[in-house]
Amino acid sequence: MATIRDVAKLSGFSVATVSRVINKNGYVNPETERAIVTAMKTLNYKPSAAARSLAGKSSSTIALMIPDILNPFFPELARAIEDAANEYGYTVMLCNSDNNLQKEMNYIDVLISKKVDGLIVASYSLQPEHILNLKQKSVPVVVVDNHFDSLPIMAFISKNREGGAIAAKHLLEQGCRKIGHICGPMNIQASRDRSVGYEDVCGRLHWFVPSLIVQSDFHVDGGYKAMVELLSRHPDIDGVFAGNDLMAVGAMKALYHKGKRVPDDVKLIGFDGIGVNTVVPELSTIAQPIYEIGTMAMKRLVQMIQGEAVQEHSHELDVKLVVKQSTVIDEAESESA
Amino acid sequence: MATIRDVAKLSGFSVATVSRVINKNGYVNPETERAIVTAMKTLNYKPSAAARSLAGKSSSTIALMIPDILNPFFPELARAIEDAANEYGYTVMLCNSDNNLQKEMNYIDVLISKKVDGLIVASYSLQPEHILNLKQKSVPVVVVDNHFDSLPIMAFISKNREGGAIAAKHLLEQGCRKIGHICGPMNIQASRDRSVGYEDVCGRLHWFVPSLIVQSDFHVDGGYKAMVELLSRHPDIDGVFAGNDLMAVGAMKALYHKGKRVPDDVKLIGFDGIGVNTVVPELSTIAQPIYEIGTMAMKRLVQMIQGEAVQEHSHELDVKLVVKQSTVIDEAESESA
DNA sequence: ATGAAAGCGCTAACAA
DNA sequence: TTGTTAGCGCTTTCAT
């Protein structure tokens, strides 16, 4: 591996000058530059990232911490963030935490020791103190898919409450007269907000009873079980809003097994905008602007890394109702189950 | 941030000794060690990974390159690899290449400059030379989900040909009398092998004609289109083997739209063992031992990193037929929860 | 068993 | 415009 000194020697200039052309800063004669670039090429020189970051320069690496890589929502987010990161010249280190506080703290230590330039975090275990602590160590952090009220923490999250309300309204508009809700874990802010949205709309209707809400865990199997429970409590249910798409898929499977047809007997809507692609019949959902969350988070992170004084607070992004087959009876294609 | 020198000063020993306790090598008096550990604790000292790797030590980081993070197969693989990596004390850097050679080569440069200790690659664009080249630079590499015949390259891949044959046989056993095949991209070894497996079984049956094979792209939409095409060529088809689960899902959607019932009218089987979870009716598939591929790949990589002289060649892993609702007409409906 | 000192490859004053 | 040099935090001979 050629070093900066080799390049200096071959080109006949000093390491400082070579460093200048690498970093494109400081004055350097065009001819000199050309000579140096040539030397770098012939030596196939690649600066050592380790050395640069040791010498005080950034590592050009950011980390992304997610709770569950098996939930398609996060790969999509990761994809968006990676694309954006590449654009800014960063590589991303992906950390899957299993939503386990211990693992997360451990990762954070490792990441700091690796001198990552910044951190994008999707976590439901980390407390505000942890984030603030990081900031104190001057590690830029931006939170996604979660937020901390009125704390100076940069966060990007969808309008979950509004989304929950939109979902409920949509079911109502499709003629549902008794709508159940499978909600996600209560320790997740986004999950709570979605439920509140549902209650905003359904809570005061004459048919509403608390037992129409079943709590679950954001996973397919959990959704299945919750749907079975819901059906046993309220066999006459004709609409279901699941707190995320994965649970909606589980619910769909349960309905299928119990002989209920979707959307004919029961209309079903999810949240996230991911499963849409892989279920039959396709799932109506409240789509989050996943890609946008990713790019905005990355953009802000870069600003923070570069020391710009950005206002740190929560940003709420618009969600979008995506109507598919699971909530609409469409004569044109209702040929089979 | 406390440095090794701070620890040395506080504990009253030299940096060399501190280094020894960090790395647990060389002789150091138990009492001394205790004192130093205490000092490290009180200073909340964390060695700088950047400095260590500059000083010749490993970076404790490996990279995983995958072509498509949106295909659930790869998150599963990533998950397995990350788990294994953590166990060995490594952090993983995830690189999504979009199956784009340019991006991959670029990543490789970056990764080398970052001094990653090793590389696990799932790529269909990289040529054997690229891999060999890497090895020459003494970067340990192991390939997954692909392999290069008779070259000294460590690779882990499923028995795709056998899997294709198993899938075809299963459809035959379920009473199918005309089986179509949606195959994946021909530049992907695994994809080709699966098709060959199908041909091994169906190629000589009286009903077989080449037009029963439609080529596609491993994505849901591609599977959809391929199924539509297949149906127009052979409306009387009663079994379909899709080269991966994503295409199988697409095929299922197409069948649904065309009024064909699964499995009553057409039986459908995929390959991979992932979609299983999110489709209704659930998809029969040939499951790859994804987790095992991940752990074995990581295990070998570590051995290579540590300089053990391992035999580098391809390893073929067994696949498993997973029978679900999409290939079996079952009145009793075996429950799954 | 412990310490002194020479780098690892690079950046960033400071000089020239 | 270019060069000299002192670190960045750690590992690792080589002494002691």
Side-chain angles (χ1 to χ4, degrees):
Chain A
M1 285 271 83
T3 77
I4 196 174
R5 238 179 304 263
D6 299 326
V7 177
K9 208 160 293 172
L10 179 61
S11 66
F13 293 89
S14 73
V15 292
T17 307
V18 176
S19 175
R20 284 190 193 96
V21 352
I22 293 173
N23 297 291
K24 304 184 197 313
N25 63 10
Y27 294 101
V28 35
N29 187 308
E31 293 205 4
T32 306
E33 170 157 7
R34 218 165 305 134
I36 290 179
V37 168
T38 308
M40 299 203 297
K41 285 240 169 72
T42 72
L43 289 172
N44 190 22
Y45 166 76
K46 303 269 188 295
S48 149
R52 327 183 70 187
S53 70
L54 216 217
K57 206 68 181 176
S58 85
S59 65
S60 294
T61 304
I62 64 133
L64 169 61
M65 191 131 75
I66 59 176
D68 182 11
I69 198 178
L70 299 184
N71 177 344
F73 175 77
F74 293 105
E76 275 197 43
L77 186 62
R79 172 64 201 266
I81 288 173
E82 196 187 10
D83 282 358
N86 286 169
E87 213 129 296
Y88 291 109
Y90 288 89
T91 316
V92 2
M93 205 139 197
L94 190 72
C95 309
N96 186 240
S97 73
D98 264 338
N99 203 5
N100 173 154
L101 182 60
Q102 205 39 251
K103 265 196 184 175
E104 290 176 346
M105 312 253 287
N106 194 43
Y107 261 129
I108 288 180
D109 281 349
V110 172
L111 294 171
I112 288 182
S113 120
K114 283 198 198 302
K115 267 211 165 55
V116 295
D117 294 340
L119 198 46
I120 297 182
V121 179
S123 160
Y124 314 118
S125 315
L126 244 31
Q127 299 306 307
E129 305 86 77
H130 296 127
I131 311 284
L132 263 7
N133 206 295
L134 235 27
K135 288 183 49 181
Q136 197 185 299
K137 291 183 183 163
S138 64
V139 179
V141 183
V142 4
V143 168
V144 289
D145 199 34
N146 199 169
H147 79 286
F148 304 102
D149 273 342
S150 68
L151 251 27
I153 294 177
M154 182 71 79
F156 292 91
I157 188 167
S158 297
K159 290 183 181 163
N160 289 296
R161 181 167 175 176
E162 189 177 311
I166 293 174
K169 259 182 236 151
H170 173 64
L171 291 175
L172 247 22
E173 278 161 14
Q174 294 309 306
C176 295
R177 312 201 52 228
K178 190 162 183 185
I179 301 172
H181 173 45
I182 300 175
C183 78
M186 282 323 236
N187 64 321
I188 299 180
Q189 175 81 42
S191 176
R192 284 198 303 274
D193 289 347
R194 291 169 198 175
S195 295
V196 172
Y198 158 84
E199 287 179 56
D200 286 343
V201 172
C202 300
R204 285 199 214 89
L205 299 183
H206 70 280
W207 48 259
F208 180 79
V209 284
S211 62
L212 279 167
I213 301 180
V214 179
Q215 198 181 323
S216 185
D217 61 1
F218 269 177
H219 295 299
V220 175
D221 288 352
Y224 185 99
K225 285 180 199 138
M227 190 67 235
V228 169
E229 171 67 22
L230 205 47
L231 238 26
S232 83
R233 288 188 195 167
H234 302 279
D236 58 333
I237 215 164
D238 63 359
V240 174
F241 163 44
N244 77 348
D245 287 338
L246 252 27
M247 292 192 301
V249 171
M252 195 180 282
K253 287 162 75 168
L255 288 164
Y256 175 87
H257 282 150
K258 295 297 180 187
K260 298 275 191 180
R261 290 168 309 160
V262 176
D264 310 70
D265 301 328
V266 177
K267 294 179 183 52
L268 177 64
I269 187 167
F271 201 113
D272 275 353
I274 49 112
V276 182
N277 197 22
T278 58
V279 215
V280 184
E282 286 182 15
L283 191 64
S284 293
T285 193
I286 303 297
Q288 298 194 56
I290 306 182
Y291 208 87
E292 196 186 347
I293 291 178
T295 47
M296 295 193 70
M298 189 62 212
K299 184 174 165 192
R300 289 307 183 175
L301 187 66
V302 170
Q303 295 183 329
M304 290 165 68
I305 290 173
Q306 295 177 343
E308 288 182 36
V310 292
Q311 254 277 63
E312 297 202 39
H313 60 94
S314 295
H315 298 258
E316 295 206 60
L317 277 52
D318 287 331
V319 295
K320 206 175 73 194
L321 170 66
V322 176
V323 180
K324 297 268 181 164
Q325 301 149 355
S326 73
T327 54
V328 179
I329 299 176
D330 181 1
E331 313 79 55
E333 48 172 280
S334 63
E335 298 164 30
S336 63
Chain B
M1 284 271 81
T3 77
I4 196 174
R5 238 179 305 260
D6 299 325
V7 177
K9 208 160 294 174
L10 179 61
S11 66
F13 293 90
S14 73
V15 292
T17 307
V18 176
S19 175
R20 284 190 193 97
V21 350
I22 292 173
N23 297 291
K24 304 183 196 315
N25 63 8
Y27 293 103
V28 35
N29 187 308
E31 292 205 5
T32 306
E33 169 157 8
R34 217 165 306 134
I36 289 178
V37 168
T38 307
M40 298 203 298
K41 284 241 170 70
T42 72
L43 289 172
N44 191 21
Y45 167 76
K46 304 270 191 295
S48 148
R52 325 184 72 186
S53 70
L54 213 218
K57 207 67 180 179
S58 86
S59 65
S60 294
T61 304
I62 64 134
L64 168 61
M65 191 132 73
I66 59 176
D68 181 11
I69 198 179
L70 299 184
N71 177 344
F73 175 78
F74 293 105
E76 276 198 43
L77 186 62
R79 172 64 200 266
I81 288 173
E82 196 188 10
D83 282 358
N86 286 170
E87 213 130 295
Y88 291 109
Y90 288 89
T91 317
V92 3
M93 205 137 196
L94 190 72
C95 309
N96 186 239
S97 74
D98 264 339
N99 203 5
N100 173 155
L101 183 59
Q102 205 39 251
K103 265 195 185 178
E104 290 176 345
M105 311 253 288
N106 193 42
Y107 261 128
I108 288 180
D109 281 349
V110 172
L111 294 171
I112 288 182
S113 119
K114 283 198 198 302
K115 267 211 162 57
V116 295
D117 295 339
L119 197 46
I120 298 182
V121 179
S123 161
Y124 314 119
S125 316
L126 246 31
Q127 298 306 308
E129 305 86 76
H130 295 126
I131 311 284
L132 263 7
N133 205 296
L134 235 26
K135 288 183 49 181
Q136 196 184 299
K137 291 183 182 162
S138 63
V139 179
V141 183
V142 3
V143 168
V144 289
D145 199 34
N146 199 169
H147 78 284
F148 304 102
D149 273 342
S150 70
L151 252 25
I153 294 177
M154 183 70 80
F156 292 92
I157 189 169
S158 298
K159 290 182 180 163
N160 289 296
R161 180 167 177 176
E162 188 177 312
I166 293 174
K169 258 183 236 152
H170 174 63
L171 290 175
L172 246 23
E173 279 161 13
Q174 294 309 305
C176 294
R177 312 203 49 229
K178 190 162 183 185
I179 300 171
H181 173 45
I182 299 175
C183 77
M186 281 325 233
N187 63 322
I188 299 180
Q189 175 82 41
S191 176
R192 284 198 303 274
D193 289 347
R194 291 168 198 176
S195 295
V196 173
Y198 159 83
E199 286 179 55
D200 287 344
V201 171
C202 300
R204 285 200 214 89
L205 299 183
H206 70 280
W207 48 259
F208 180 79
V209 283
S211 62
L212 278 167
I213 300 180
V214 179
Q215 198 181 324
S216 185
D217 61 2
F218 269 176
H219 295 298
V220 174
D221 288 351
Y224 186 99
K225 284 179 202 137
M227 189 66 235
V228 170
E229 171 67 22
L230 205 48
L231 238 26
S232 84
R233 288 188 196 168
H234 301 278
D236 57 333
I237 216 164
D238 63 0
V240 174
F241 164 43
N244 77 349
D245 288 338
L246 253 27
M247 293 192 301
V249 170
M252 194 181 283
K253 287 162 75 168
L255 288 164
Y256 175 87
H257 282 151
K258 295 297 179 188
K260 298 276 191 180
R261 289 167 309 160
V262 176
D264 310 70
D265 302 327
V266 177
K267 293 178 184 50
L268 176 64
I269 187 167
F271 201 114
D272 274 354
I274 49 112
V276 182
N277 198 20
T278 60
V279 223
V280 184
E282 287 183 15
L283 191 65
S284 292
T285 193
I286 304 297
Q288 299 195 55
I290 306 182
Y291 209 87
E292 196 185 347
I293 291 179
T295 48
M296 295 192 70
M298 189 63 213
K299 184 174 164 191
R300 290 305 183 178
L301 187 65
V302 170
Q303 294 183 330
M304 290 164 70
I305 291 173
Q306 294 176 343
E308 289 183 36
V310 291
Q311 256 277 62
E312 296 202 39
H313 61 93
S314 294
H315 297 258
E316 294 206 60
L317 277 52
D318 287 330
V319 295
K320 207 176 72 194
L321 170 65
V322 176
V323 180
K324 296 269 180 161
Q325 301 148 355
S326 73
T327 53
V328 179
I329 300 176
D330 182 6
E331 313 79 49
E333 197 57 273
S334 50
E335 292 288 293
S336 68

